[in-house]
Amino acid sequence: MIKTCPVSRRRLLASGAAAALVAGLAPSRLLAAEPLKVAGIYTVPVEQQWVSRIHKAAEAAVARGEIEYTFSENVSNTDYARVMREYAEGGVQMLVGEVFGVEQEAREVAAEYPNVAMLMGSSFKEDPALANFSVFDNYIQDAAYLSGIIAGAMTKSGSIGMVGGFPIPEVNRLMHAFMAGAREIRPDIRFQVSFIGSWFDPPRAKETAFGMIEAGADVMYAERFGVSDAAKEKGVLAIGNVIDTQADYPDTVVASALWHFEPTLDRAVAAVKAGTFKAEDYGVYSQMIHGGCSLAPLGTFEGKVPEAALKLVAEREAAIRSGSFVVAINDDEPKSS
C-alpha cells in the first residue's frame, strides 16, 4: 500500500535537478528552493515501534516544509527491491527504510540509481564504493541502560523477562545495555530471554511473555508489542522500548527507552540538499549525546521508583551526555541467566 502525507505533492523535479544528484553531488540552490521528495519503504505497519519513529520524524519534516513524503508499509522482503525501483523511477530524491532482510538486493538497487540518496536501517556498514547508500541503526543503548537501572530497582522476584523480535545487532545491543543497567542495582538479577522470530506478532509476543511471568518474572522488557499486554493482564510491570506506551498502560509501563529519529533524518536531508550526501554510518545520531534517544518521563510512576535508582539514573545520564561515561555496545545474542 502506498500512502502520501496530506501536504505532499506527486510530481517530478526538473530533470536537471534530479540527474545532478549522481555521486552525491546535488544542485544545492535548486534543492534548497523546494521540499525534497522523500519516500519511506517499511516492511511493517507504520504503527510498529521502530518504524513509527522514522515516520514521525518524516512527518515533522513535512510540517516544516522541508520534504514531501510518501510511504509504503507492509512491504514484503521479496517485494522490497521492486518498490525501491518504483520510487526511484518515479523521481523520488531520497529513500528511507529498513533493509535488514534484503541487504544485498537493496544495495544492488542503489547501484542502479546513483542519483537517488538512500538512508537505510541496516546491520551492516556503508560501502564507500556505493556513494548514495548510507546506513543507520537505532543505537539507543544509552536510554536502554538507564531503563535497566529502573527495572533493577522495581523487581521484587529478581527475575526479568525479555521478549525480542530477532537476535540481530540492533536488538541485541539494547538488551545487553538494559541488562547491564539492571545489574548496577541488583548484581544477582536473573534474565529470561526469548525471540519470537517476527517484527510484528503481538499475540506470539504476549504468549511468550505469559510463559516468563509464570516462571517468576515480575518485570518485563517489552521490545515487542504484545509484551505489555501480558504484563498488564498478569499484574506485573513492564519497561518499554523505542516508544512511550505508558498512556496505554498507566499501571504497567514504568519507563521506556525512546528513540528520536529526527537528528538522523534531518542531517541526511540537509546533506542531500547541500550536495554533500555520501556513504556513511548515521547510527551515531541515535545516541543520547546527539539527542537521538532519551528516557521517557516516569509519569504515573513518579514517586514509586526508589530514590537510590533515580539518583544513579541522573548521575549516569549526565555522564553519558558529557561523554565521560560510555555504555558498552554488545551485539552478541543475549542468553537467559
Side-chain angles (χ1 to χ4, degrees):
M1 179 182 295
I2 298 177
K3 299 182 180 180
T4 306
C5 279
V7 297
S8 295
R9 298 169 309 197
R10 299 287 291 179
R11 62 180 179 77
L12 299 179
L13 287 179
S15 59
L21 268 167
V22 174
L25 299 177
S28 56
R29 286 179 297 174
L30 288 174
L31 291 180
E34 59 182 278
L36 194 74
K37 286 183 68 70
V38 176
I41 308 175
Y42 312 121
T43 62
V44 293
V46 291
E47 291 80 14
Q48 188 259 12
Q49 301 110 295
W50 198 88
V51 163
S52 73
R53 307 312 287 179
I54 302 173
H55 186 65
K56 178 176 180 288
E59 289 188 318
V62 169
R64 295 192 302 269
E66 296 176 1
I67 70 171
E68 296 174 357
Y69 173 54
T70 300
F71 66 94
S72 295
E73 56 186 344
N74 294 316
V75 177
S76 67
N77 284 338
T78 56
D79 209 27
Y80 205 93
R82 182 194 64 77
V83 177
M84 289 178 71
R85 289 188 176 92
E86 181 179 294
Y87 276 124
E89 291 287 347
V92 163
Q93 299 162 279
M94 179 176 167
L95 292 177
V96 60
E98 15 96 27
V99 297
F100 298 105
V102 288
E103 296 279 358
Q104 181 177 341
E105 296 92 333
R107 290 168 192 253
E108 289 173 356
V109 175
E112 295 172 18
Y113 297 93
N115 60 313
V116 179
M118 300 187 186
L119 179 67
M120 295 292 176
S122 170
S123 293
F124 296 95
K125 295 301 181 181
E126 74 282 9
D127 178 359
L130 204 56
N132 63 320
F133 193 93
S134 285
V135 299
F136 68 87
D137 211 339
N138 65 331
Y139 283 85
I140 64 169
Q141 65 276 353
D142 301 326
Y145 168 82
L146 297 179
S147 71
I149 292 175
I150 292 176
M154 297 300 285
T155 179
K156 293 179 178 153
S157 69
S159 178
I160 293 179
M162 308 182 72
V163 180
F166 292 92
I168 65 171
E170 71 104 9
V171 175
N172 297 344
R173 74 177 65 107
L174 304 189
M175 286 189 164
H176 278 296
F178 174 89
M179 295 162 84
R183 290 188 179 115
E184 287 268 24
I185 293 291
R186 190 164 176 170
D188 64 341
I189 207 159
R190 303 182 312 279
F191 297 96
Q192 300 177 54
V193 181
S194 184
F195 298 92
I196 63 172
S198 173
W199 291 129
F200 194 73
D201 192 341
R204 186 182 303 178
K206 185 177 181 180
E207 286 303 315
T208 303
F210 277 148
M212 293 179 174
I213 295 168
E214 290 172 3
D218 63 351
V219 174
M220 294 299 304
Y221 177 70
E223 200 272 327
R224 293 292 101 195
F225 276 159
V227 176
S228 293
D229 293 299
K232 179 181 178 180
E233 288 187 25
K234 294 297 184 179
V236 302
L237 302 176
I239 301 293
N241 181 59
V242 176
I243 63 175
D244 186 0
T245 58
Q246 192 183 76
D248 298 320
Y249 308 94
D251 301 317
T252 303
V253 175
V254 184
S256 298
L258 306 182
W259 182 30
H260 309 294
F261 192 66
E262 287 80 359
T264 301
L265 181 64
D266 294 350
R267 281 172 171 79
V269 168
V272 175
K273 288 191 172 188
T276 59
F277 188 87
K278 60 182 180 179
E280 58 183 304
D281 185 355
Y282 279 74
V284 64
Y285 300 116
S286 288
Q287 296 181 10
M288 187 170 284
I289 200 168
H290 292 290
C293 66
S294 68
L295 187 65
L298 292 177
T300 56
F301 279 84
E302 280 287 353
K304 300 177 183 178
V305 177
E307 283 300 322
L310 295 181
K311 181 180 178 182
L312 182 57
V313 166
E315 291 173 354
R316 289 285 192 266
E317 181 172 351
I320 289 169
R321 291 186 183 279
S322 72
S324 62
F325 182 84
V326 178
V327 177
I329 295 176
N330 185 347
D331 289 346
D332 296 335
E333 181 177 346
K335 305 293 184 181
S336 297
S337 302

